[in-house]
């Protein structure tokens, strides 16, 4: 079983408009609602790949009830912890003319100390059956900034490999707890290391505690610094669509490769192909199966030479 943690789950709402114009009224052509949050998206993609996946985190209030009703018929198992606050919503506005998406994210409910304690008890129990765990996304109000570091240490204590996908101070604290893998985007990586040169920054992030670092370079694919070497993987062609959730699908690909014991080049190929196929899908947590199968054998993977001493 692969466990995904979404402490700040969301109900994702997508509006599609002909063209998004600032300061103007818009007629919405289509509205879609889906259970969301990074870890939930990851779990849905894992389930579509045939993995047994479990989602945990927090859900509460009317929005949380809708999220859980929508999650119920899907493959990931719901192990969310009920809270008194109301689950947040995220609003994506998809521009039919440009293909661009504008995202509006609510902050999320305040989690009480008692609710955090209840979550930790549930998390520890779930770890007993987990082959890997992904810690994903932002922290809701009320959760201390070192929460992911605490969850990494608990997973390591249970012998479960951890992938951490967050940013800012939670990432800085979390990497010091020595997760097996972190997956920042280029901006998160630059803020963590102070370097905007991706190869140098990725290797520097490894020295800060992570066993492996896979940095998302957007349409240019992934850059990975690992104990076995450094690779860059890129899709064979540019894809145009909605990039929301593409990074989450990359996380699912990396986790799938991890539990399957695949070599790093194959893990990265799977992650890049899934990410690109998600851009072509209607929403986060889904991917275009035909595109994935077409892209997977054509992903370009290049190994970088070892870093020079002192670099």
């Amino acid at each position: 079983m692969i466990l995904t943690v979404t402490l700040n789950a969301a109900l994702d709402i997508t509006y599609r408009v002909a063209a998004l114009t600032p300061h103007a009224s818009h007629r919405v052509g289509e509205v879609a609602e889906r259970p969301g949050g990074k870890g939930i998206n990851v779990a849905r993609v894992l389930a579509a790949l045939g993995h047994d996946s479990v989602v945990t985190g927090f859900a509460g209030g009317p929005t949380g009830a809708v999220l859980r009703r929508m999650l119920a018929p899907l493959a990931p198992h719901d192990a969310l912890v009920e809270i008194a606050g109301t689950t947040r919503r995220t609003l994506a506005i998809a521009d039919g003319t440009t293909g661009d998406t504008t995202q509006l994210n609510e902050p999320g409910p305040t989690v009480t100390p008692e609710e955090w304690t209840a979550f930790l008890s549930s998390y520890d129990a779930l770890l007993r059956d987990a082959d890997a765990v992904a810690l994903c996304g932002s922290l809701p109000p009320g959760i201390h900034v070192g929460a992911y570091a605490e969850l990494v240490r608990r997973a390591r204590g249970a012998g479960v490999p951890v992938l951490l996908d967050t940013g800012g101070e939670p990432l800085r604290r979390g990497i010091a707890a020595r997760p097996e893998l972190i997956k920042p985007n280029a901006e998160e990586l630059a803020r963590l290391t102070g370097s905007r040169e991706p190869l140098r920054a990725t290797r520097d992030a490894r020295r800060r505690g992570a066993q492996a670092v896979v940095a998302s370079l957007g349409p240019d694919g992934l850059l990975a610094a690992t104990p076995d070497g450094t690779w860059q993987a890129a899709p064979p062609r540019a894809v145009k669509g909605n990039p929301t959730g593409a990074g989450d699908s990359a996380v699912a690909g990396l986790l799938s490769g991890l539990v399957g014991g695949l070599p790093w080049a194959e893990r990265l190929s799977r992650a890049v192909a899934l990410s690109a196929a998600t851009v072509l899908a209607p929403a986060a947590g889904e991917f275009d199966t035909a595109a994935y199968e077409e892209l997977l054998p054509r992903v370009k993977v290049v190994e970088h030479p070892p870093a020079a001493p002192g670099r």
Side-chain angles (χ1 to χ4, degrees):
M1 177 267 282
I2 301 177
L3 176 65
T4 72
V5 175
T6 310
L7 297 178
N8 210 4
L11 180 64
D12 287 346
I13 304 168
T14 302
Y15 288 169
R16 299 190 183 278
V17 299
L20 181 61
T21 305
H23 316 299
S25 296
H26 297 78
R27 186 175 298 277
V28 177
E30 180 185 346
V31 180
E33 289 186 341
R34 289 175 174 82
K38 293 177 72 65
I40 291 177
N41 295 337
V42 171
R44 291 181 62 194
V45 173
L46 284 168
L49 291 172
H51 294 280
D52 179 19
S53 59
V54 175
V55 297
T56 189
F58 298 108
T63 308
V66 173
L67 183 153
R68 299 186 85 164
R69 282 200 303 271
M70 298 183 77
L71 190 59
L74 302 178
H77 175 68
D78 175 3
L80 295 166
V81 174
E82 189 75 22
I83 59 173
T86 298
T87 295
R88 67 185 178 130
R89 297 162 297 181
T90 67
L91 177 63
I93 305 172
D95 187 320
T97 300
T98 65
D100 295 332
T101 300
T102 299
Q103 192 86 12
L104 303 173
N105 298 328
E106 296 179 357
T110 297
V111 177
T112 68
E114 293 76 17
E115 290 165 342
W116 175 243
T117 298
F119 168 79
L120 290 176
S121 177
S122 174
Y123 176 73
D124 288 342
L126 290 166
L127 285 174
R128 289 196 285 269
D129 296 317
D131 298 310
V133 58
L135 309 176
C136 303
S138 61
L139 299 177
I143 298 296
H144 63 94
V145 74
Y148 281 137
E150 180 177 0
L151 298 184
V152 170
R153 287 192 292 267
R154 286 173 179 258
R156 286 177 57 82
V160 179
V162 185
L163 186 155
L164 176 61
D165 183 14
T166 189
E169 191 61 23
L171 173 59
R172 191 179 304 277
R173 301 280 187 95
I175 196 173
R178 306 187 65 79
E180 275 68 22
L181 174 62
I182 64 168
K183 198 212 72 66
N185 60 35
E187 186 60 35
E188 291 164 345
L189 186 63
R191 288 199 297 266
L192 175 69
T193 64
S195 173
R196 291 194 172 273
E197 199 289 300
L199 185 57
R200 176 177 299 208
T202 304
R203 287 169 168 163
D204 179 62
R206 271 202 74 211
R207 289 192 288 270
R208 292 169 184 255
Q211 293 185 28
V213 178
V214 178
S216 174
L217 305 179
D220 293 327
L222 299 173
L223 178 63
T226 81
D228 301 321
T230 303
W231 288 269
Q232 186 161 350
R237 57 183 172 84
V239 293
K240 191 173 182 62
N242 182 0
T244 306
D248 304 332
S249 291
V251 168
L254 293 169
L255 285 169
S256 176
L258 169 66
V259 299
L262 297 182
W264 271 105
E266 292 183 37
R267 298 187 202 184
L268 295 170
S269 294
R270 183 173 295 186
V272 167
L274 280 171
S275 181
T278 295
V279 174
L280 299 171
E286 303 173 6
F287 63 93
D288 184 311
T289 303
Y292 169 64
E293 293 174 352
E294 181 261 327
L295 290 165
L296 180 60
R298 299 173 56 217
V299 172
K300 304 171 185 176
V301 182
V302 177
E303 185 170 7
H304 289 275
R311 296 291 298 274

